[in-house]
Amino acid sequence: MWHRWCVSSIPAAADVLDPDVPVLPLPDVAIRLDQPITRVHQALRDHHLIAVRRRGVLMVPAEFITDDGDVVKGLPGTITVLNDSGFSPDEVIRWLFTADDTLPGRPIDALRGDRGREVKRRAQALAY
């Protein structure tokens, strides 16, 4: 039985994103991925996606989903590497959306642009 005092088992980062970064509520993520909402919840629990809590609502950055309705290739692996390196969900979000002159651009843009290997290499280097 669900009570208002229960804490959701779905992890979420604080909203560390720029307010201009588009985000999607979880039901919209499920529609875009053509998956039941329970699969979206599982992807968040498994750290294949990260949600932020914006105005009390769990939201996923829209840039995590491709125009074809898939999770951006390389994103789950990058999140895993950063988590294993001790990054908090807030830090993972910040890292993905912060410009890196050596990429160039933001890591999320590089992942969307099929430069996932380079992003993952940089994420692995942060562990050392």
Side-chain angles (χ1 to χ4, degrees):
M1 181 176 194
W2 180 258
H3 297 280
R4 289 189 330 176
W5 52 266
C6 290
V7 177
S8 171
S9 64
I10 299 172
D15 190 3
V16 296
L17 292 170
D18 185 291
D20 294 334
V21 172
V23 291
L24 302 167
L26 301 189
D28 290 0
V29 174
I31 290 167
R32 286 210 180 170
L33 294 175
D34 195 26
Q35 296 286 327
I37 190 77
T38 54
R39 290 265 173 101
V40 174
H41 293 167
Q42 192 61 48
L44 291 165
R45 282 192 292 273
D46 291 344
H47 305 289
H48 294 163
L49 286 173
I50 296 180
V52 296
R53 194 170 295 279
R54 187 170 278 182
R55 293 180 301 280
V57 177
L58 287 176
M59 306 272 205
V60 171
E63 292 170 271
F64 286 0
I65 312 298
T66 68
D67 294 337
D68 296 331
D70 295 312
V71 173
V72 169
K73 184 179 176 186
L75 179 64
T78 302
I79 293 170
T80 298
V81 167
L82 293 170
N83 281 334
D84 291 350
S85 299
F87 276 53
S88 71
D90 299 1
E91 291 168 324
V92 172
I93 290 283
R94 233 184 244 115
W95 186 80
L96 286 167
F97 285 89
T98 299
D100 179 342
D101 293 337
T102 64
L103 269 174
R106 304 175 307 167
I108 189 61
D109 297 327
L111 286 171
R112 289 180 65 85
D114 203 27
R115 291 182 287 151
R117 284 188 187 180
E118 184 59 30
V119 171
K120 198 167 184 181
R121 260 195 298 270
R122 288 165 196 268
Q124 288 169 334
L126 294 172
Y128 301 107

